[in-house]
Amino acid sequence: MENNIDRRVMRTKTLLIHSLSTLMKQKNIKDITVKELCELADINRGTFYLHYKDVYDMLEQIENEIFEEFNAMLTAHARNTKDFPYPLFLDIFEFVSDNAELFRVLIGPNGDISFIMKIHQLYNMYCIQTEISKLSPELSINCKYYGNFILYGCVGLIEQWLSSDNPESPREMAKLVTKLVSTGVLSLIK
């Protein structure tokens, strides 16, 4: 019985997330009402309020789940130096690919600007706390610049990738970003 309840809850949340994504393609979060969200998801408002206080709470919970997933990826790869950073970027691009619709709206024109800022804070925390900053004093001093370069570069790449008609695979994107991060733009010209 509990498994059925979990499935119904997951189904409801999936419908709501899909509906929120659909609406955010058309308008800003501040212009989305619970009523229209529930109508689009074909659920009643009471069901919505079992899970969320309002549309902003829903968006925050979705973003928090994404941050937890990113944090788990960063933590899992913090000590892994074999082929680093490729495995981390592969996990990130596979996660983004699996949740492409959601990422399109979160980093799109009607997205939540604070979403990128939260990822920025998470990455900076990771960058400061990992072995990267311990490898050399120069990296430690420049970690914040390096982190911004990687983060905003990756966000731009993800945005472009998600808007492509025939996007490259997560594996191809991870290889590209690893090459860019490891050896710079000039490595692509050679």
Side-chain angles (χ1 to χ4, degrees):
M1 180 70 174
E2 188 176 308
N3 195 21
N4 287 337
I5 294 171
D6 289 345
R7 278 194 230 175
R8 286 190 307 219
V9 168
M10 288 190 55
R11 182 182 178 281
T12 298
K13 287 187 174 189
T14 300
L15 285 170
L16 284 167
I17 290 168
H18 175 72
S19 297
L20 182 65
S21 295
T22 300
L23 291 171
M24 285 181 71
K25 288 176 190 172
Q26 303 163 12
K27 57 175 114 178
N28 193 293
I29 188 77
K30 68 179 175 53
D31 299 321
I32 297 173
T33 65
V34 171
K35 181 181 178 192
E36 70 182 323
L37 182 62
C38 290
E39 285 175 359
L40 187 59
D42 196 26
I43 64 164
N44 69 49
R45 286 173 32 177
T47 302
F48 175 89
Y49 288 117
L50 285 174
H51 306 288
Y52 309 106
K53 291 185 280 189
D54 54 29
V55 177
Y56 294 106
D57 180 50
M58 179 182 172
L59 182 60
E60 184 177 351
Q61 286 188 41
I62 292 168
E63 289 176 356
N64 286 342
E65 288 175 18
I66 290 171
F67 299 132
E68 287 175 20
E69 188 67 31
F70 276 137
N71 194 35
M73 284 183 246
L74 291 169
T75 302
H77 294 288
R79 302 273 186 248
N80 180 5
T81 56
K82 185 176 182 345
D83 300 326
F84 186 81
Y86 174 76
L88 171 61
F89 287 127
L90 180 58
D91 282 355
I92 289 171
F93 279 98
E94 285 176 342
F95 178 65
V96 170
S97 179
D98 291 345
N99 298 282
E101 179 183 8
L102 185 57
F103 276 95
R104 273 188 201 98
V105 296
L106 288 174
I107 64 175
N110 292 321
D112 181 10
I113 190 69
S114 69
F115 175 71
I116 301 298
M117 299 310 296
K118 290 175 189 172
I119 291 176
H120 180 260
Q121 290 171 340
L122 178 66
Y123 184 80
N124 278 343
M125 183 180 72
Y126 166 76
C127 186
I128 291 165
Q129 292 179 352
T130 61
E131 302 301 316
I132 293 171
S133 62
K134 296 175 187 171
L135 290 175
S136 86
E138 184 179 306
L139 276 180
S140 182
I141 292 167
N142 294 319
C143 191
K144 62 184 172 192
Y145 298 113
Y146 183 68
N148 281 338
F149 178 78
I150 293 171
L151 176 70
Y152 289 109
C154 284
V155 169
L157 281 169
I158 289 169
E159 192 172 18
Q160 180 65 43
W161 180 54
L162 292 175
S163 68
S164 298
D165 290 334
N166 296 312
E168 291 75 13
S169 71
R171 189 170 300 283
E172 291 171 300
M173 291 303 295
K175 285 179 185 175
L176 173 65
V177 174
T178 299
K179 194 170 189 178
L180 285 170
V181 168
S182 302
T183 57
V185 176
L186 292 178
S187 68
L188 298 177
I189 298 170
K190 295 179 181 179

